[in-house]
């Protein structure tokens, strides 16, 4: 059993004897244009079936809804007015100030991004946030930890992948993911129009029905030294792919850049190896609180508490045995 | 574009419609460029711009005019550039009267014909009078409209007899172009912008500061537009207005400057270069018109005078080479190179006239080649009803589009207007090949030809258009082989002998070679031409499209050039081939100052190298390469030889950039604000409401809503604008059949502001019915703060956004009502493009009625509004205020 | 005006504010049309989510799994009773408990397999042993428990049929291992009853996860009272004394553990235990347990009362499992249960001066 | 692998088409393209589905006058029928001269509307054939 929480190199933890650097995404939502090329490129490459009921979902231009068994990239659309923008800027500024305890009033230090010129940039009374979500490929992956069959495994690139031929669809991983990413694929079908000419009757059966499915970070492409499909397609490089360390570095530079421009609402998500999942393989730059994008504000890999749980369970077992003993030892009363 | 310091995206939703092109904007922005989006809606482009400025649809000329006015009155124009490279100093004819003086009309308006006589707009000649337009007699605007004349100038300006013009380099003479422009826009102020466009003074000042701060020697501003500008009754003038501004600021012909047209389709540029357009022959040569081009000499004289400056002076060589390419030996000096094999135009024969011709039973047969007019063309109802009048039609597409199935499941079947059993039309559906199942070239929006190789054979009975038309041509020629009818000669004499592969597929490279052209005589006979300058008017060369000459130079398919971008300079001249002559920036001579030196080190592109005695730089110079900056040849020699060293605009007849258009436009020499055909706003600038020269079609089946100030305008109180989404492709033929795209935008919707939703009781994500004088459609309601009501002319204007990708049918993965059904047909007189970006409507909650009740609803609205065939169709709004004798009106 | 289709699911709260200045021409402020509402229980008033959509996904488990939770407990407790009977010479109790264990186990395991996405691959559970996976650990526990239980039950059946099953020489072996097998099954009985609590606790499902410390106690208690209940139903009162005692102990443990659990859980995460279907089930579970326990304690020697109490206890246990199961799924479906406890604990850590362990960082 | 160009919009993004057993298996952006640098929009990314779409029509269909249904037709027969109709309509609607005796040499009975996703070479043949046949009403998306 490897480490269950805290900073670590997941690849080493998984006993890979090699030196592939860990791979990951950096999704910079500040330059996302919401085109959904990532969603389509992903489906195209992975042959994921269409899902949904072909209806407007009632969430701006997002008709995908969330990540799921057949949607491994999901673009969120959020419309916000000035009040919320101000709040976001404030909450971001509060983050900047965190861990910088001061005595007395803040010193007028202009190099401090929290105190930098924060004249709001031009479009401030309204904004439309777009963000492409994906599997986080956590350092401590809940799905992977709880998988009973070994179908989920840690690759040599530090990513987390399902082996379709091993998974028996127990569904534990679905509940194990703090981000709601992995899902068991139902055998929903590719919906087609009512009337088609005869030759179109046959539609490909939904592949991998009944088993857990999620982003593989294009494992099949990585082994061929190819960029994942979504990152390759992304027209504005909002989705960047590379060595995890470099991605984190880029993300940190970018957020510093935006702070310098007064955009204190910018913040990183998943770039901290001390967080509840040991940092994520997919790092994001967000412009508001994570929950606004449907991301958990303080995720924690459930397995981090597993030792406690086993201890408590052990105690309970002992209690049960004691109760049984007590029941019998009372004699034939 | 990546080199720009400021990018103004207006009339385009670039991030949404051209996501990959947008990477260059994103890159410029990352480097510090300011990106401003001016658009009625807050779109995905606005979301990633520095600023979004909401504008009332159709009021763009007011804004651009005010920018021009601001630049002139605050002395912010680029003096050296404007003085040397534009026609600012040129004097205009004495008879010219501006729209400022005539209540919105320019001099020469013929109210009877609803068109301009443009002769008074000409330059003043040295001596006296105006420069005559070449060719026999003066052409009336009404006739020019019929030729969609504006479209013919895709590669340059219209002709002038010669370039000996009167100038006043001090720009003080009131007859100079500069003074005329200055006066014309004097009333286009920030306040007018606020009143007409709904843009606050602060936002206007932000915009003007961004543009002027980023123009000049060191910096450049770029404008990007798309169909948001072209699809208006004054579309061409929107673009002209931007061009005037860009010329004044010195942003034309320079890196990071210019006006970028963002076209919607893979080869839409190509399909105007090699036009499937009624009024053009390949290379922007006009189709001959009866009465105007009855002989080859007349024809050539009207295209380009031998005495004018620049490359159009050689139109004879281009034309005769085309005739040689088509009719080979049958085209010879004795029969005027088979000029009479060409059919003649007698009026406008554009797609909308064609549709009306169908309704009048004049058209029997119709080919739809990858086009879905039942959904994608304005006034979809008229399109479908017209198709029911055809004897036969051929639909070639990948999927069973609505234009192929309208007889079965179209909206008119549902409403009972048409009965399948009564429709006589024979319909042939022929499956087409996709882009990977055939080889060929696309020309993209920056005139770059890129070759596609064939990856696989088409499945089943699918065929490329190339193969289909080649075979169709062969069959027709076989069937007519014995004909001795003279009318069949052009078909029988046609060069139609392309080599084919074993499947009978003609070799597209052979076609490309024919387009490129070859030598017919002399030592090089048979060899491919390498540049259009090699074309001759003596029958010794043949070329199917002169502007593409060079693409097959040395027998090499340069469109297939694929040197990786990362291995070349920024102009990437070894990837594909750009016409003309592989130039990436047109008129790039203007990137250097009159003396030939770069305007600045930062914006260096093409410059004069004194030692080598030629122009050099990052691109192919768009100029005679050895013409020294200071040279001043005798202008009377005509042609390229007459270009001075400081005449960068080599396709214009005087070598200058046109602030004022003395020729070529049919609706005014200067962009002037008129309201759209249907508008709830009165024109605050002039008594004249709509463009007087717009093309209207007063027919019972093409009614217009009353405009502001007339009775019934309040029945259709809202403005709607149509647009597209990233996830879909035009009429949906290539997207609504694909599950991956359909699921991303599954249903037709309309975008409305919360205010409008409250006003009309619209439920978010519920249904609404939108009613225009033509039709009514239903859509899901997307209530969003991205739509903002604008305060215009004292009242609130609500705009409704409608994507136009859906259509009614049973075959696609997703379907829905078509926004284009709401539109009527009103056209820009210059290019005959319809006005589909703005029109009037009403909206109410709930789904639309079905069957006959739908027609009753639309009729009831028309009745309440008092709509008649005349509504909105008067050429002159207020004759007495505009100096027009009202008796001349029809 | 509402902007989200989820608005009608929202409890009526304070009227949402509209943009204050509705003047045309200026962009209005926009309230979060995506699920914000006032939170009475939490000082931080704002609750934001993405259009009210869940953050975590509920386990794709149907009621089969809840049934298994219940039956697993029954089986485990029964094995203990069986061993007790074996050791203290209560043959009927022993027999009934052993058979009960096997029956519960078979049904439960069947339900579990049925719930798999690919039931034909159920054996893949045993291709590896992963201590980080309670499901894996549980599969092995189940197997081990199953081995002993099957043996002792086989022996019982053989005895009941008067040794008429043609076992040949195997009968000797079976009789030889019967005793040790009873022990073996009992060793895994407790873990069988308890591991399912870890299985639920070790998820991101808010209510389950928040209950992870006490849930094992609830589950073993529930297992005790259920198995005791079964024995009270099946076994004559004269041999069921220990079962009655175990029932009383189980009820006490169950009620206590439940109270402590609810008390120690994050108050928001505990809400689903009281709401809706889960709330109803857990309320009735408590009542039935109490009733069953009192019956066992006061009138357990009456066969009829004993049987009724036994049924009540079985039902109580089933309702506990179904209730907890359902509460968890409900907590996963509403983003509030994910977001609020997380925000609260983050704020609490920050208030305590821990500022380096958040997933959101400014640099 | 074959180099191609995206058929959707006028940006002209480079594509790489991967073929296996005479079937297109994948279409991706071409990183060598200086226009697109390997990137594609959602439509471009869906190109493979455009080619292999389950809804794609691969057989010739014919609807006879007044018929309520499609019927199958052989490709050769269809082209033959179209050629016959082309010639007949052209003959019937031929205009040799206008009222003033000026040459027209055309038919107004045949029209075409082409998409702008056709190749230059295809447009060239269409324009050439129609012009030679005197059919002037040739239009495309550029005006729509």
């Amino acid at each position: 059993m490897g480490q269950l929480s805290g900073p670590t190199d997941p690849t080493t933890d998984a006993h890979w004897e090699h030196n592939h650097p860990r791979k990951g995404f950096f999704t910079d939502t500040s330059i996302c244009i919401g085109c959904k090329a990532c969603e389509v490129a992903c489906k195209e490459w992975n042959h994921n079936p269409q899902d949904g009921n072909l209806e407007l979902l009632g969430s701006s231009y997002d008709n995908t809804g969330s990540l799921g068994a057949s949607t491994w990239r999901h673009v969120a659309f959020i419309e916000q007015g000035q009040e919320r923008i101000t709040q976001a800027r404030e909450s971001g500024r509060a983050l900047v100030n965190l861990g910088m305890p001061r005595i007395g009033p803040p010193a007028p230090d202009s190099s401090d991004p929290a105190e930098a010129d924060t004249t709001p940039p031009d479009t401030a009374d309204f904004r439309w946030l777009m963000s492409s979500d994906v599997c986080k490929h956590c350092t401590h992956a809940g799905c992977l930890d709880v998988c009973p069959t070994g179908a989920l495994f840690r690759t040599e690139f530090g990513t987390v992948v399902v082996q379709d031929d091993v998974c028996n669809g127990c569904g534990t991983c679905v509940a194990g993911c703090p981000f709601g990413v992995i899902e068991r694929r139902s055998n929903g079908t590719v919906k087609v129009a009512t009337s088609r000419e005869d030759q179109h009757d046959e539609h490909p059966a939904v592949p991998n029905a009944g088993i857990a499915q999620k982003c593989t970070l294009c494992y099949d492409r990585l082994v061929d030294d190819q960029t994942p499909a979504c990152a390759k397609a992304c027209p504005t490089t909002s989705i960047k792919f590379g060595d995890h360390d470099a991605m984190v570095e880029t993300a940190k530079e970018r957020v510093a850049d935006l702070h310098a421009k007064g955009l204190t609402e910018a913040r990183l998500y998943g770039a901290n190896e001390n967080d509840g999942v040991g940092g994520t393989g997919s790092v994001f730059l967000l412009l508001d609180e994570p929950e606004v994008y449907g991301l958990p504000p303080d995720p924690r890999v459930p397995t981090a508490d597993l030792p406690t749980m086993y201890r408590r369970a052990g105690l309970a077992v002992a209690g049960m045995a004691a109760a049984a003993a007590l029941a019998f030892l009372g004699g034939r009363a | 574009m990546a080199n720009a310091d400021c990018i103004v995206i207006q009339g385009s939703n670039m991030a949404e419609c051209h996501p990959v092109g947008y990477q260059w904007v994103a890159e410029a922005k990352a480097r510090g460029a300011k990106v401003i989006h001016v658009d009625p809606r807050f779109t995905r482009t606005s979301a990633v711009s520095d600023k979004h400025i909401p504008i009332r649809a159709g009021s763009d000329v007011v804004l651009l005019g005010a920018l021009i006015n601001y630049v002139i009155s605050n002395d912010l124009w680029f003096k050296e550039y404007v003085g040397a490279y534009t026609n600012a100093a040129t004097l205009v004819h004495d008879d010219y009267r501006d729209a400022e003086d005539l209540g919105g009309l320019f001099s020469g308006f013929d109210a009877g014909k609803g068109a301009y006589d443009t002769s008074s707009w000409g330059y003043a000649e040295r001596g006296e009078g105006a420069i005559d337009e070449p060719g026999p007699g003066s052409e009336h605007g009404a006739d020019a409209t019929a030729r969609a004349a504006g479209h013919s100038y895709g590669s340059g300006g219209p002709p002038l007899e010669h370039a000996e013009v009167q100038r006043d380099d001090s720009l003080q003479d009131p007859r100079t172009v500069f003074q005329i422009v200055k006066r014309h826009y004097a009333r286009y102020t920030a306040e007018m912008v606020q009143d007409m466009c709904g843009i606050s003074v602060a936002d206007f000042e932000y915009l003007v500061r961004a543009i002027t701060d980023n123009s000049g020697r060191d910096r450049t501003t770029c404008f990007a537009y798309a169909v948001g500008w072209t699809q208006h009754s004054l579309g061409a003038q929107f673009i002209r207005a931007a061009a005037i501004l860009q010329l004044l600021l010195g942003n034309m012909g320079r890196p990071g400057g210019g006006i970028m047209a963002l076209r919607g389709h893979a080869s839409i540029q190509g399909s105007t270069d090699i036009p499937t357009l009624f009024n053009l022959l390949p290379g922007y040569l006009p189709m001959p018109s009866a009465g105007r081009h009855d002989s080859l000499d007349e024809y050539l004289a009207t295209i380009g005078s031998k005495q004018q400056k620049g490359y159009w002076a050689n139109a004879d060589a281009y034309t005769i080479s085309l005739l040689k390419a088509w009719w080979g030996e049958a085209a010879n000096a004795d029969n005027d190179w088979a000029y009479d094999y060409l059919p003649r135009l007698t009026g406008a024969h554009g797609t909308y006239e064609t549709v009306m011709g169908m309704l009048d039973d004049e058209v029997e047969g119709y080919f739809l080649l990858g086009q879905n007019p039942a959904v994608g063309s304005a006034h979809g109802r008229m399109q479908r009803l017209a198709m029911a009048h055809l004897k036969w039609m051929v639909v070639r597409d990948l999927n069973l589009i609505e234009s192929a199935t309208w007889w079965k499941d179209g909206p008119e079947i549902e409403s009972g207007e048409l009965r399948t059993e009564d429709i006589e039309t024979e319909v042939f559906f022929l499956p087409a090949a996709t882009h990977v199942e055939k080889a060929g070239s696309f020309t993209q929006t920056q005139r770059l030809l890129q070759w596609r190789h064939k990856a696989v054979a088409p499945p089943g009975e699918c065929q490329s258009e190339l193969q289909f038309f080649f075979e169709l041509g062969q069959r027709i020629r076989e069937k007519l082989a014995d004909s001795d009818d003279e009318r069949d000669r052009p078909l029988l004499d046609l060069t139609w002998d392309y080599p084919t592969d074993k499947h009978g597929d003609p070799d597209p490279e052979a076609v490309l070679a024919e387009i490129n052209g070859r030598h017919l005589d002399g030592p090089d006979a048979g060899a491919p031409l390498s540049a259009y300058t090699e074309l001759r008017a003596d029958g010794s060369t043949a070329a199917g499209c002169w502007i593409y000459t060079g693409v097959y130079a040395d027998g090499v398919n340069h469109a297939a050039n694929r040197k990786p971008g990362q291995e070349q300079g920024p102009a990437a001249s070894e990837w594909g081939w750009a016409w003309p002559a592989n130039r990436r920036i047109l008129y790039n001579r203007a990137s250097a100052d009159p003396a030939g030196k770069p305007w600045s080190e930062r914006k260096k592109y093409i410059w004069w190298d004194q030692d080598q005695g030629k122009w050099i730089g990052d691109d192919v110079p768009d100029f005679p390469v050895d013409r020294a900056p200071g040279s001043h040849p005798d202008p009377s020699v005509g042609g390229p030889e007459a270009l001075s060293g400081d005449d960068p605009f080599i396709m214009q007849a005087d070598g200058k950039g046109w602030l004022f258009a003395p020729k070529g436009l049919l609706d005014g020499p200067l962009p002037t604000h008129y309201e759209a055909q249907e508008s709830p706003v009165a024109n605050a600038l002039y008594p004249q409401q709509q463009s007087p020269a717009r093309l209207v079609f007063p027919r019972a089946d093409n009614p217009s809503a009353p405009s502001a100030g007339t009775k019934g305008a309040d029945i259709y109180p809202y403005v709607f604008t149509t647009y597209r989404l990233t996830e879909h492709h035009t009429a949906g033929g290539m997207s609504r059949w694909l599950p991956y795209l359909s699921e991303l935008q599954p249903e037709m919707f309309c975008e409305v502001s919360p205010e409008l939703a409250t006003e009309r009781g619209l439920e978010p994500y519920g249904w609404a019915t939108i009613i225009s004088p033509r039709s009514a459609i239903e859509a899901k309601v997307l209530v969003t703060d991205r739509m903002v009501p604008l305060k215009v002319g004292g009242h609130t204007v609500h705009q409704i956004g409608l994507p136009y990708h859906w259509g009614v049918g049973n075959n696609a993965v997703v379907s829905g009502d078509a926004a284009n059904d709401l539109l009527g047909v009103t056209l820009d007189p210059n290019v005959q493009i319809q006005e589909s970006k703005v029109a009037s409507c009403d909206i109410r909650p709930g789904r639309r009625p079905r069957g006959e009740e739908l027609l009753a609803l639309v009729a009831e609205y028309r009745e309440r509004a008092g709509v008649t065939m005349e509504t909105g169709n008067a050429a002159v709004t207020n004759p007495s205020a505009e100096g027009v004798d009202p008796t001349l009106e029809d | 005006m509402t902007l989200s289709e989820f608005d009608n699911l929202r409890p009526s709260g304070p009227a949402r504010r509209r943009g204050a200045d509705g003047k045309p021409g200026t962009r209005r402020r926009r309230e979060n049309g995506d699920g914000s509402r006032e939170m009475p229980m939490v000082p931080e008033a704002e609750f934001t989510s993405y259009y009210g959509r869940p953050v975590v996904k509920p386990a794709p488990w149907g009621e089969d799994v809840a049934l298994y939770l219940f039956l697993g407990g029954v089986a485990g407790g029964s094995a203990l009773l069986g061993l007790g009977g074996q050791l203290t010479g209560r043959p009927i109790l022993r027999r009934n408990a052993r058979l009960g264990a096997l029956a519960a186990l078979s049904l439960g395991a069947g339900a579990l397999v049925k719930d798999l996405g690919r039931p034909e691959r159920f054996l893949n559970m045993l291709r590896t042993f992963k201590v980080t996976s309670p499901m894996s650990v549980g599969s092995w526990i189940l197997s081990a428990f199953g081995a002993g239980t099957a043996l002792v039950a086989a022996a019982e059946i053989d005895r009941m049929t008067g040794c008429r099953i043609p076992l040949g020489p195997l009968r000797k072996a079976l009789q030889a291992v019967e005793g040790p097998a009873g022990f073996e099954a009992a060793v895994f009985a407790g873990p069988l009853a308890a591991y399912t609590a870890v299985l639920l606790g070790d998820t991101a499902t808010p209510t389950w996860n928040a209950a992870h410390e006490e849930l094992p106690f609830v589950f073993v208690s529930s297992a005790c009272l259920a198995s005791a209940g079964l024995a009270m139903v099946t076994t004559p009162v004269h041999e069921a004394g220990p079962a009655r005692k175990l029932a009383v102990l189980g009820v006490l443990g169950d009620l206590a553990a439940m109270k402590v659990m609810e008390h120690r859980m994050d108050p928001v995460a505990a809400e689903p235990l009281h709401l809706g279907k889960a709330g109803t089930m857990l309320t009735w579970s408590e009542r039935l347990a109490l009733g069953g326990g009192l019956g066992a304690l006061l009138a357990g020697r009456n066969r009829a009362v004993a049987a009724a109490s036994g049924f009540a206890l079985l039902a109580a246990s089933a309702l506990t499992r179904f209730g907890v199961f359902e509460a968890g799924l409900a907590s996963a479906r509403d983003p509030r249960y994910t977001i609020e406890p997380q925000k609260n604990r983050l704020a609490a850590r920050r208030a305590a001066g821990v500022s380096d362990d958040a997933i959101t960082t400014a640099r | 692998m074959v180099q191609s160009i995206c058929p959707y919009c006028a940006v002209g993004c480079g594509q790489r088409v991967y073929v296996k057993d005479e079937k297109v298996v994948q279409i991706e952006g071409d990183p060598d393209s200086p226009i697109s640098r390997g990137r594609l929009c959602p439509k471009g990314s869906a190109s493979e589905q455009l080619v292999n779409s389950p809804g794609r029509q691969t057989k010739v269909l014919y609807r006879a006058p007044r018929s309520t249904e499609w019927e199958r037709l052989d490709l050769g027969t269809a082209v033959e029928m179209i050629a016959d109709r082309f010639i007949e309509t052209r003959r019937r609607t031929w205009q040799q001269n206008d009222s003033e005796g000026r040459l027209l040499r055309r038919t107004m009975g045949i029209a075409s509307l082409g998409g702008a996703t056709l190749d230059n070479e295809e447009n060239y043949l269409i324009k050439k054939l129609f012009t030679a046949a005197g059919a002037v009403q040739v239009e495309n998306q550029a005006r729509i």
Side-chain angles (χ1 to χ4, degrees), chain D residues 75-91:
Chain D
L75 176 62
T77 315
V79 178
E80 188 73 17
M81 286 168 77
I82 294 165
D84 285 341
R85 280 153 186 73
F86 191 102
I87 290 169
E88 199 193 318
T89 293
R90 179 171 176 266
R91 188 158 290 147

Side-chain angles (χ1 to χ4, degrees), chain B residues 539-865:
Chain B
S540 66
T541 55
C545 180
W546 68 276
I547 54 175
Y548 282 9
T549 300
V551 67
Y552 206 70
D554 309 317
V556 175
N557 180 354
H558 294 288
N561 286 354
R562 284 292 183 280
K563 185 167 174 184
Q566 51 273 30
E567 295 169 20
Q568 344 180 21
S573 55
E574 288 170 78
W575 181 277
W577 186 89
W579 72 263
N582 207 19
R583 271 170 211 127
R584 307 291 154 137
I585 294 187
L586 281 182
Y587 305 134
N588 54 30
R589 158 70 182 89
S591 68
D593 68 12
K597 288 198 284 291
W599 289 108
S600 67
E601 196 53 33
R602 198 164 167 264
K603 294 287 171 182
K604 183 170 169 175
Y605 197 66
I606 294 286
W607 59 93
W608 175 256
D609 187 312
Q610 192 62 50
D611 301 336
Q612 297 182 54
K614 64 176 195 179
W615 293 93
I616 58 166
D618 300 331
D619 195 354
V620 180
D622 193 12
F623 202 65
V625 71
D626 56 354
R627 186 73 37 85
S631 54
H632 287 282
D634 178 2
S636 67
V637 298
E641 288 72 29
L643 289 169
S644 290
D646 60 353
D647 283 341
F649 295 90
I650 58 166
M651 300 313 282
Q652 299 285 27
D654 57 355
K656 302 297 184 196
W658 283 4
L659 296 174
F660 176 97
K663 277 284 173 284
L665 287 168
L666 307 173
D667 52 352
L670 284 172
T672 305
H673 174 71
Y674 303 110
E675 284 297 318
Q677 170 70 4
E678 297 180 343
S679 170
V681 173
N683 191 346
L685 278 154
Y686 310 99
Q688 177 65 25
Q689 172 77 3
Q690 297 111 328
S691 171
R694 74 194 184 284
L695 294 187
V696 292
F697 297 90
R699 305 166 53 105
D701 55 7
N702 189 34
S704 288
S707 283
T710 54
K711 182 185 153 296
D714 54 334
I715 303 298
Y716 304 102
Y718 307 123
V719 177
F720 73 88
T721 178
T722 62
Y723 53 89
R724 49 160 119 166
L725 302 166
T726 308
E727 296 89 343
H728 281 296
H729 186 249
T730 63
M734 285 163 73
S735 65
R736 278 187 294 113
W737 271 260
L738 309 191
Y740 288 168
L741 295 174
S742 297
E743 65 179 324
L744 298 179
Q745 287 292 2
E747 288 187 281
M748 170 68 185
F749 60 87
C750 61
E751 294 187 310
V752 300
S753 68
E755 286 79 359
L756 178 56
T758 310
E759 193 170 304
R760 277 294 191 254
L762 305 173
E763 280 298 316
Y765 302 107
W767 288 97
T769 299
I770 301 118
I771 306 117
S772 85
R774 276 75 55 186
S775 189
I777 63 165
E778 64 185 15
K780 287 279 184 77
V781 181
L782 215 158
V783 180
T784 169
D785 284 302
R786 291 183 292 101
M787 298 298 290
V788 181
L790 297 172
K791 197 89 179 164
V792 171
H795 72 284
T796 303
V797 174
H798 288 290
Q799 309 192 82
I800 298 170
L802 295 172
Y804 73 92
H805 303 292
W806 287 270
V808 175
N810 289 331
N811 207 260
V813 178
V814 293
S815 55
D817 280 2
N820 279 330
D821 282 13
L822 295 176
L823 291 167
V825 178
T826 307
L827 306 179
D828 176 311
N830 295 298
V831 291
Q832 301 234 328
I833 295 181
Q834 83 287 355
E835 180 159 271
S836 56
K837 283 297 154 189
V838 47
S840 295
C841 69
D842 189 23
I843 187 166
R844 57 192 220 177
R847 304 192 70 152
R848 66 168 163 78
R850 311 281 145 172
E852 279 178 18
E853 285 174 41
L854 173 68
L855 302 176
L857 174 73
V858 179
E860 183 247 326
Y861 263 82
R862 274 201 302 261
E863 203 168 306
R864 273 200 289 139

Side-chain angles (χ1 to χ4, degrees), chain B residues 23 27 277 340 364 369 371 425-426 452 461 475 479 486 488 495 498 514 565 726 734, chain D residues 8 32 37 39 43 56 60 62-63 80 85 90 92 105-106 115 119 124 127-128 141 144:
Chain B
Q23 67 178 293
E27 198 155 288
L277 293 171
D340 282 346
E364 294 186 356
L369 315 169
Q371 189 60 263
T425 314
E426 269 184 304
R452 292 183 341 271
E461 293 177 317
R475 300 248 183 156
K479 286 174 190 287
E486 189 273 339
D488 296 332
T495 53
Y498 304 100
E514 177 179 319
T726 308
M734 285 163 73
Chain D
Y8 281 100
D32 286 346
R37 300 189 284 197
R39 302 167 196 174
K43 293 189 284 287
R56 184 168 168 196
V60 173
Y62 171 72
R63 186 256 175 184
E80 188 73 17
R85 280 153 186 73
R90 179 171 176 266
R92 196 160 43 219
R105 204 186 237 293
R106 69 179 188 193
D119 299 346
Y124 180 78
K127 183 73 180 180
K128 187 173 170 182
Q141 179 94 31
I144 296 175

Side-chain angles (χ1 to χ4, degrees), chain B residues 476-555:
Chain B
I476 292 172
R477 280 156 52 91
E478 278 162 23
K479 286 174 190 287
L480 295 175
D482 301 330
S483 164
D484 49 8
D485 194 331
E486 189 273 339
R487 77 172 72 152
D488 296 332
R489 282 326 310 165
L491 277 170
L492 295 171
D493 289 343
L494 202 60
T495 53
W496 203 258
D497 50 356
Y498 304 100
T500 55
D501 66 9
K502 58 180 187 295
H503 307 295
D505 215 352
D507 179 6
E509 280 213 24
V511 181
L512 186 69
E514 177 179 319
I515 293 171
N516 175 83
R518 60 199 166 96
H519 294 280
L520 298 174
D521 293 336
D524 296 327
L529 297 163
S530 49
Y532 68 79
T533 48
E534 293 177 1
L535 293 170
R536 295 293 173 265
D538 58 4
S540 66
T541 55
C545 180
W546 68 276
I547 54 175
Y548 282 9
T549 300
V551 67
Y552 206 70
D554 309 317

Side-chain angles (χ1 to χ4, degrees), chain C residues 192-210:
Chain C
L192 180 67
Y195 96 86
T196 48
V198 180
L199 177 69
L200 298 191
D202 190 19
T203 62
T205 303
T207 299
W208 294 344
N209 185 254

